[in-house]
Amino acid sequence: MAYVTVDAEPEPLAIDVAKTALVLIDMQRDFLEAGGFGETLGNDVSLLGKAVRPCQAVLALARKKGMLVIHTREGHRPDLSDAPKAKVERGDPRLRIGAAGPMGRILIRGEAGHDIVASLYPIAGETVIDKPGKGAFYATDLGAILHHRGIESLIVCGVTTEVCVHTTVREANDRGYRCIVPGDCCGSYFPEFHEVGLRMIKAQGGIFGWVSDSTRVMRALE
């Protein structure tokens, strides 16, 4: 065992590096890139872009350490058979799941916008989880992968802080995983949601996780 202690809130957390996975949530082109679906909705994608460089640094170190690295992508089957009506039939019909977007059909697997940004692209051997919902455990084999690899702790990065990151951390907590969220490795189109989302994770003694940052996480892993 190679335990290290990560400086975090509400208190430092000791983790076994060999039993820790890095999970990068939904760093997809449609959400992060100019001209993508996120920007079409009127969002400032640069707010999510701030998380890319810290994520790159943590990802590079995780690869160097031989940690399990998992990437997720939110999206649906082209025939929408896995997309509930309540999710599809909301908002402007021109901007709904499956509609023609600037980078292909919106939130559809295989389309250009659904893929991960080049700067964080998976390398050979890294797991990519295609998820039909907000949480990375829902309707995926993530739980089985973590179980078979003996994983106990997760470092969770990605977008958006208050939606897919939050949901995944909550799901993981209910399944017994310790989750560390480096705040600068996450982002939201709404800065106030990002701030409050991180506060919620670490509230009441770490009600469903620990919050740190890329610098402190990397210092511990090194």
Side-chain angles (χ1 to χ4, degrees):
M1 294 184 182
Y3 278 94
V4 300
T5 299
V6 179
D7 184 17
E9 291 86 38
E11 60 186 6
L13 177 67
I15 59 172
D16 182 346
V17 177
K19 296 182 179 181
T20 300
L22 173 64
V23 183
L24 294 160
I25 303 290
D26 300 359
M27 299 299 277
Q28 294 164 251
R29 296 185 62 198
D30 247 340
F31 300 147
L32 277 85
E33 291 187 2
F37 174 53
E39 188 172 77
T40 301
L41 291 174
N43 298 304
D44 179 0
V45 295
S46 70
L47 293 170
L48 302 193
K50 293 177 182 178
V52 171
R53 185 164 293 182
C55 282
Q56 284 180 304
V58 174
L59 175 59
L61 184 55
R63 287 169 171 168
K64 177 181 175 182
K65 295 292 181 181
M67 294 171 60
L68 175 64
V69 174
I70 295 172
H71 306 259
T72 76
R73 301 181 294 200
E74 182 181 355
H76 296 276
R77 296 175 181 273
D79 63 1
L80 299 182
S81 59
D82 62 346
K85 291 180 67 175
K87 185 177 180 182
V88 175
E89 296 179 353
R90 64 177 186 84
D92 186 334
R94 297 169 300 173
L95 299 173
R96 289 177 178 173
I97 295 169
M103 295 185 185
R105 293 177 67 202
I106 296 168
L107 289 183
I108 297 299
R109 297 174 187 177
E111 299 288 343
H114 174 259
D115 212 356
I116 295 167
V117 295
S119 55
L120 294 168
Y121 209 77
I123 61 173
E126 292 179 349
T127 299
V128 178
I129 299 287
D130 281 321
K131 60 188 185 66
K134 305 298 188 292
F137 288 87
Y138 170 68
T140 74
D141 54 2
L142 176 60
I145 292 169
L146 298 178
H147 173 72
H148 293 313
R149 289 289 298 267
I151 298 298
E152 297 176 350
S153 303
L154 306 177
I155 299 170
V156 185
C157 307
V159 300
T160 60
T161 311
E162 77 280 9
V163 184
C164 294
V165 172
H166 236 246
T167 305
T168 297
V169 172
R170 288 171 181 263
E171 289 181 329
N173 176 260
D174 282 344
R175 289 163 172 78
Y177 295 99
R178 300 177 183 87
C179 293
I180 299 171
V181 180
D184 59 335
C185 292
C186 302
S188 171
Y189 296 127
F190 306 95
E192 65 274 23
F193 291 178
H194 172 75
E195 179 186 350
V196 173
L198 295 177
R199 286 167 53 194
M200 290 171 68
I201 291 170
K202 65 183 180 180
Q204 300 182 65
I207 193 166
F208 55 95
W210 287 257
V211 173
S212 187
D213 56 54
S214 60
T215 300
R216 289 183 285 170
V217 168
M218 292 172 63
R219 185 184 302 135
L221 294 179
E222 285 281 22

